[in-house]
mmCIF file with all atom_site columns, all heavy atoms in Angstrom:
data_model
loop_
_atom_site.group_PDB
_atom_site.id
_atom_site.type_symbol
_atom_site.label_atom_id
_atom_site.label_alt_id
_atom_site.label_comp_id
_atom_site.label_asym_id
_atom_site.label_entity_id
_atom_site.label_seq_id
_atom_site.pdbx_PDB_ins_code
_atom_site.Cartn_x
_atom_site.Cartn_y
_atom_site.Cartn_z
_atom_site.occupancy
_atom_site.B_iso_or_equiv
_atom_site.pdbx_formal_charge
_atom_site.auth_seq_id
_atom_site.auth_comp_id
_atom_site.auth_asym_id
_atom_site.auth_atom_id
_atom_site.pdbx_PDB_model_num
ATOM 1   N N   . LEU A 1 69  ? 23.078 7.445   20.129 1.00 90.00 ? 69  LEU A N   1
ATOM 2   C CA  . LEU A 1 69  ? 24.450 7.197   19.704 1.00 90.00 ? 69  LEU A CA  1
ATOM 3   C C   . LEU A 1 69  ? 25.352 6.898   20.901 1.00 90.00 ? 69  LEU A C   1
ATOM 4   O O   . LEU A 1 69  ? 26.245 6.031   20.830 1.00 90.00 ? 69  LEU A O   1
ATOM 5   C CB  . LEU A 1 69  ? 24.956 8.405   18.935 1.00 90.00 ? 69  LEU A CB  1
ATOM 6   C CG  . LEU A 1 69  ? 26.240 8.215   18.118 1.00 90.00 ? 69  LEU A CG  1
ATOM 7   C CD1 . LEU A 1 69  ? 26.088 7.050   17.144 1.00 90.00 ? 69  LEU A CD1 1
ATOM 8   C CD2 . LEU A 1 69  ? 26.598 9.477   17.395 1.00 90.00 ? 69  LEU A CD2 1
ATOM 9   N N   . SER A 1 72  ? 24.794 3.380   21.964 1.00 95.00 ? 72  SER A N   1
ATOM 10  C CA  . SER A 1 72  ? 25.470 2.468   21.048 1.00 95.00 ? 72  SER A CA  1
ATOM 11  C C   . SER A 1 72  ? 26.964 2.399   21.383 1.00 95.00 ? 72  SER A C   1
ATOM 12  O O   . SER A 1 72  ? 27.571 1.320   21.387 1.00 95.00 ? 72  SER A O   1
ATOM 13  C CB  . SER A 1 72  ? 25.310 2.918   19.609 1.00 95.00 ? 72  SER A CB  1
ATOM 14  O OG  . SER A 1 72  ? 23.991 2.889   19.195 1.00 95.00 ? 72  SER A OG  1
ATOM 15  N N   . LEU A 1 148 ? 25.236 -8.184  17.831 1.00 96.00 ? 148 LEU A N   1
ATOM 16  C CA  . LEU A 1 148 ? 23.994 -7.930  17.115 1.00 96.00 ? 148 LEU A CA  1
ATOM 17  C C   . LEU A 1 148 ? 23.319 -6.653  17.638 1.00 96.00 ? 148 LEU A C   1
ATOM 18  O O   . LEU A 1 148 ? 22.913 -5.788  16.852 1.00 96.00 ? 148 LEU A O   1
ATOM 19  C CB  . LEU A 1 148 ? 23.029 -9.125  17.311 1.00 96.00 ? 148 LEU A CB  1
ATOM 20  C CG  . LEU A 1 148 ? 21.635 -8.941  16.744 1.00 96.00 ? 148 LEU A CG  1
ATOM 21  C CD1 . LEU A 1 148 ? 21.659 -8.955  15.237 1.00 96.00 ? 148 LEU A CD1 1
ATOM 22  C CD2 . LEU A 1 148 ? 20.736 -10.056 17.299 1.00 96.00 ? 148 LEU A CD2 1
ATOM 23  N N   . LEU A 1 149 ? 23.223 -6.520  18.957 1.00 96.00 ? 149 LEU A N   1
ATOM 24  C CA  . LEU A 1 149 ? 22.599 -5.326  19.539 1.00 96.00 ? 149 LEU A CA  1
ATOM 25  C C   . LEU A 1 149 ? 23.409 -4.080  19.256 1.00 96.00 ? 149 LEU A C   1
ATOM 26  O O   . LEU A 1 149 ? 22.859 -2.995  18.996 1.00 96.00 ? 149 LEU A O   1
ATOM 27  C CB  . LEU A 1 149 ? 22.388 -5.493  21.033 1.00 96.00 ? 149 LEU A CB  1
ATOM 28  C CG  . LEU A 1 149 ? 21.290 -6.461  21.438 1.00 96.00 ? 149 LEU A CG  1
ATOM 29  C CD1 . LEU A 1 149 ? 21.265 -6.654  22.942 1.00 96.00 ? 149 LEU A CD1 1
ATOM 30  C CD2 . LEU A 1 149 ? 19.945 -6.010  20.925 1.00 96.00 ? 149 LEU A CD2 1
ATOM 31  N N   . PHE A 1 150 ? 24.741 -4.193  19.272 1.00 96.00 ? 150 PHE A N   1
ATOM 32  C CA  . PHE A 1 150 ? 25.587 -3.031  18.974 1.00 96.00 ? 150 PHE A CA  1
ATOM 33  C C   . PHE A 1 150 ? 25.347 -2.559  17.527 1.00 96.00 ? 150 PHE A C   1
ATOM 34  O O   . PHE A 1 150 ? 25.113 -1.369  17.286 1.00 96.00 ? 150 PHE A O   1
ATOM 35  C CB  . PHE A 1 150 ? 27.060 -3.365  19.191 1.00 96.00 ? 150 PHE A CB  1
ATOM 36  C CG  . PHE A 1 150 ? 27.976 -2.311  18.669 1.00 96.00 ? 150 PHE A CG  1
ATOM 37  C CD1 . PHE A 1 150 ? 28.064 -1.068  19.262 1.00 96.00 ? 150 PHE A CD1 1
ATOM 38  C CD2 . PHE A 1 150 ? 28.765 -2.540  17.538 1.00 96.00 ? 150 PHE A CD2 1
ATOM 39  C CE1 . PHE A 1 150 ? 28.898 -0.073  18.764 1.00 96.00 ? 150 PHE A CE1 1
ATOM 40  C CE2 . PHE A 1 150 ? 29.601 -1.574  17.050 1.00 96.00 ? 150 PHE A CE2 1
ATOM 41  C CZ  . PHE A 1 150 ? 29.678 -0.335  17.664 1.00 96.00 ? 150 PHE A CZ  1
ATOM 42  N N   . LEU A 1 151 ? 25.416 -3.469  16.591 1.00 95.00 ? 151 LEU A N   1
ATOM 43  C CA  . LEU A 1 151 ? 25.233 -3.099  15.192 1.00 95.00 ? 151 LEU A CA  1
ATOM 44  C C   . LEU A 1 151 ? 23.828 -2.559  14.925 1.00 95.00 ? 151 LEU A C   1
ATOM 45  O O   . LEU A 1 151 ? 23.642 -1.589  14.198 1.00 95.00 ? 151 LEU A O   1
ATOM 46  C CB  . LEU A 1 151 ? 25.517 -4.288  14.269 1.00 95.00 ? 151 LEU A CB  1
ATOM 47  C CG  . LEU A 1 151 ? 26.990 -4.722  14.222 1.00 95.00 ? 151 LEU A CG  1
ATOM 48  C CD1 . LEU A 1 151 ? 27.134 -5.991  13.401 1.00 95.00 ? 151 LEU A CD1 1
ATOM 49  C CD2 . LEU A 1 151 ? 27.875 -3.626  13.714 1.00 95.00 ? 151 LEU A CD2 1
ATOM 50  N N   . PHE A 1 152 ? 22.819 -3.193  15.540 1.00 94.00 ? 152 PHE A N   1
ATOM 51  C CA  . PHE A 1 152 ? 21.451 -2.738  15.337 1.00 94.00 ? 152 PHE A CA  1
ATOM 52  C C   . PHE A 1 152 ? 21.224 -1.362  15.968 1.00 94.00 ? 152 PHE A C   1
ATOM 53  O O   . PHE A 1 152 ? 20.636 -0.483  15.342 1.00 94.00 ? 152 PHE A O   1
ATOM 54  C CB  . PHE A 1 152 ? 20.464 -3.757  15.906 1.00 94.00 ? 152 PHE A CB  1
ATOM 55  C CG  . PHE A 1 152 ? 19.040 -3.425  15.646 1.00 94.00 ? 152 PHE A CG  1
ATOM 56  C CD1 . PHE A 1 152 ? 18.517 -3.399  14.351 1.00 94.00 ? 152 PHE A CD1 1
ATOM 57  C CD2 . PHE A 1 152 ? 18.180 -3.119  16.686 1.00 94.00 ? 152 PHE A CD2 1
ATOM 58  C CE1 . PHE A 1 152 ? 17.199 -3.077  14.097 1.00 94.00 ? 152 PHE A CE1 1
ATOM 59  C CE2 . PHE A 1 152 ? 16.854 -2.795  16.456 1.00 94.00 ? 152 PHE A CE2 1
ATOM 60  C CZ  . PHE A 1 152 ? 16.366 -2.764  15.149 1.00 94.00 ? 152 PHE A CZ  1
ATOM 61  N N   . SER A 1 153 ? 21.707 -1.142  17.184 1.00 94.00 ? 153 SER A N   1
ATOM 62  C CA  . SER A 1 153 ? 21.518 0.148   17.826 1.00 94.00 ? 153 SER A CA  1
ATOM 63  C C   . SER A 1 153 ? 22.323 1.236   17.105 1.00 94.00 ? 153 SER A C   1
ATOM 64  O O   . SER A 1 153 ? 21.833 2.369   16.949 1.00 94.00 ? 153 SER A O   1
ATOM 65  C CB  . SER A 1 153 ? 21.904 0.095   19.316 1.00 94.00 ? 153 SER A CB  1
ATOM 66  O OG  . SER A 1 153 ? 23.301 -0.106  19.470 1.00 94.00 ? 153 SER A OG  1
ATOM 67  N N   . LEU A 1 154 ? 23.502 0.909   16.617 1.00 94.00 ? 154 LEU A N   1
ATOM 68  C CA  . LEU A 1 154 ? 24.302 1.886   15.875 1.00 94.00 ? 154 LEU A CA  1
ATOM 69  C C   . LEU A 1 154 ? 23.627 2.260   14.566 1.00 94.00 ? 154 LEU A C   1
ATOM 70  O O   . LEU A 1 154 ? 23.505 3.449   14.252 1.00 94.00 ? 154 LEU A O   1
ATOM 71  C CB  . LEU A 1 154 ? 25.694 1.336   15.589 1.00 94.00 ? 154 LEU A CB  1
ATOM 72  C CG  . LEU A 1 154 ? 26.638 2.274   14.833 1.00 94.00 ? 154 LEU A CG  1
ATOM 73  C CD1 . LEU A 1 154 ? 26.924 3.539   15.649 1.00 94.00 ? 154 LEU A CD1 1
ATOM 74  C CD2 . LEU A 1 154 ? 27.929 1.546   14.509 1.00 94.00 ? 154 LEU A CD2 1
ATOM 75  N N   . SER A 1 155 ? 23.125 1.277   13.842 1.00 93.00 ? 155 SER A N   1
ATOM 76  C CA  . SER A 1 155 ? 22.443 1.607   12.589 1.00 93.00 ? 155 SER A CA  1
ATOM 77  C C   . SER A 1 155 ? 21.168 2.420   12.827 1.00 93.00 ? 155 SER A C   1
ATOM 78  O O   . SER A 1 155 ? 20.871 3.342   12.081 1.00 93.00 ? 155 SER A O   1
ATOM 79  C CB  . SER A 1 155 ? 22.126 0.326   11.798 1.00 93.00 ? 155 SER A CB  1
ATOM 80  O OG  . SER A 1 155 ? 21.162 -0.447  12.427 1.00 93.00 ? 155 SER A OG  1
ATOM 81  N N   . SER A 1 156 ? 20.445 2.065   13.878 1.00 90.00 ? 156 SER A N   1
ATOM 82  C CA  . SER A 1 156 ? 19.204 2.834   14.217 1.00 90.00 ? 156 SER A CA  1
ATOM 83  C C   . SER A 1 156 ? 19.551 4.275   14.586 1.00 90.00 ? 156 SER A C   1
ATOM 84  O O   . SER A 1 156 ? 18.833 5.192   14.162 1.00 90.00 ? 156 SER A O   1
ATOM 85  C CB  . SER A 1 156 ? 18.462 2.165   15.329 1.00 90.00 ? 156 SER A CB  1
ATOM 86  O OG  . SER A 1 156 ? 17.983 0.922   14.927 1.00 90.00 ? 156 SER A OG  1
ATOM 87  N N   . SER A 1 157 ? 20.581 4.479   15.389 1.00 89.00 ? 157 SER A N   1
ATOM 88  C CA  . SER A 1 157 ? 20.907 5.832   15.810 1.00 89.00 ? 157 SER A CA  1
ATOM 89  C C   . SER A 1 157 ? 21.444 6.648   14.624 1.00 89.00 ? 157 SER A C   1
ATOM 90  O O   . SER A 1 157 ? 21.104 7.837   14.499 1.00 89.00 ? 157 SER A O   1
ATOM 91  C CB  . SER A 1 157 ? 21.892 5.824   16.979 1.00 89.00 ? 157 SER A CB  1
ATOM 92  O OG  . SER A 1 157 ? 23.086 5.206   16.610 1.00 89.00 ? 157 SER A OG  1
ATOM 93  N N   . LEU A 1 158 ? 22.232 6.047   13.759 1.00 90.00 ? 158 LEU A N   1
ATOM 94  C CA  . LEU A 1 158 ? 22.717 6.770   12.591 1.00 90.00 ? 158 LEU A CA  1
ATOM 95  C C   . LEU A 1 158 ? 21.590 7.079   11.622 1.00 90.00 ? 158 LEU A C   1
ATOM 96  O O   . LEU A 1 158 ? 21.552 8.163   10.994 1.00 90.00 ? 158 LEU A O   1
ATOM 97  C CB  . LEU A 1 158 ? 23.832 5.970   11.892 1.00 90.00 ? 158 LEU A CB  1
ATOM 98  C CG  . LEU A 1 158 ? 25.147 5.854   12.666 1.00 90.00 ? 158 LEU A CG  1
ATOM 99  C CD1 . LEU A 1 158 ? 26.117 4.971   11.919 1.00 90.00 ? 158 LEU A CD1 1
ATOM 100 C CD2 . LEU A 1 158 ? 25.740 7.220   12.939 1.00 90.00 ? 158 LEU A CD2 1
ATOM 101 N N   . GLU A 1 159 ? 20.634 6.160   11.500 1.00 89.00 ? 159 GLU A N   1
ATOM 102 C CA  . GLU A 1 159 ? 19.461 6.412   10.658 1.00 89.00 ? 159 GLU A CA  1
ATOM 103 C C   . GLU A 1 159 ? 18.662 7.587   11.186 1.00 89.00 ? 159 GLU A C   1
ATOM 104 O O   . GLU A 1 159 ? 18.239 8.470   10.428 1.00 89.00 ? 159 GLU A O   1
ATOM 105 C CB  . GLU A 1 159 ? 18.595 5.158   10.612 1.00 89.00 ? 159 GLU A CB  1
ATOM 106 C CG  . GLU A 1 159 ? 17.332 5.310   9.809  1.00 89.00 ? 159 GLU A CG  1
ATOM 107 C CD  . GLU A 1 159 ? 16.424 4.097   9.910  1.00 89.00 ? 159 GLU A CD  1
ATOM 108 O OE1 . GLU A 1 159 ? 16.627 3.264   10.787 1.00 89.00 ? 159 GLU A OE1 1
ATOM 109 O OE2 . GLU A 1 159 ? 15.484 4.029   9.088  1.00 89.00 ? 159 GLU A OE2 1
ATOM 110 N N   . GLY A 1 160 ? 18.448 7.619   12.492 1.00 85.00 ? 160 GLY A N   1
ATOM 111 C CA  . GLY A 1 160 ? 17.728 8.730   13.124 1.00 85.00 ? 160 GLY A CA  1
ATOM 112 C C   . GLY A 1 160 ? 18.460 10.063  12.911 1.00 85.00 ? 160 GLY A C   1
ATOM 113 O O   . GLY A 1 160 ? 17.838 11.095  12.640 1.00 85.00 ? 160 GLY A O   1
ATOM 114 N N   . TYR A 1 161 ? 19.753 10.034  13.047 1.00 83.00 ? 161 TYR A N   1
ATOM 115 C CA  . TYR A 1 161 ? 20.553 11.257  12.875 1.00 83.00 ? 161 TYR A CA  1
ATOM 116 C C   . TYR A 1 161 ? 20.462 11.736  11.413 1.00 83.00 ? 161 TYR A C   1
ATOM 117 O O   . TYR A 1 161 ? 20.251 12.920  11.166 1.00 83.00 ? 161 TYR A O   1
ATOM 118 C CB  . TYR A 1 161 ? 22.008 10.961  13.261 1.00 83.00 ? 161 TYR A CB  1
ATOM 119 C CG  . TYR A 1 161 ? 22.905 12.154  13.089 1.00 83.00 ? 161 TYR A CG  1
ATOM 120 C CD1 . TYR A 1 161 ? 22.849 13.229  13.963 1.00 83.00 ? 161 TYR A CD1 1
ATOM 121 C CD2 . TYR A 1 161 ? 23.850 12.212  12.042 1.00 83.00 ? 161 TYR A CD2 1
ATOM 122 C CE1 . TYR A 1 161 ? 23.682 14.321  13.845 1.00 83.00 ? 161 TYR A CE1 1
ATOM 123 C CE2 . TYR A 1 161 ? 24.675 13.308  11.907 1.00 83.00 ? 161 TYR A CE2 1
ATOM 124 C CZ  . TYR A 1 161 ? 24.591 14.354  12.785 1.00 83.00 ? 161 TYR A CZ  1
ATOM 125 O OH  . TYR A 1 161 ? 25.410 15.439  12.653 1.00 83.00 ? 161 TYR A OH  1
#
Side-chain angles (χ1 to χ4, degrees):
L69 194 56
S72 297
L148 174 71
L149 289 175
F150 170 69
L151 292 174
F152 184 65
S153 67
L154 181 63
S155 69
S156 294
S157 61
L158 291 176
E159 177 187 14
Y161 180 73

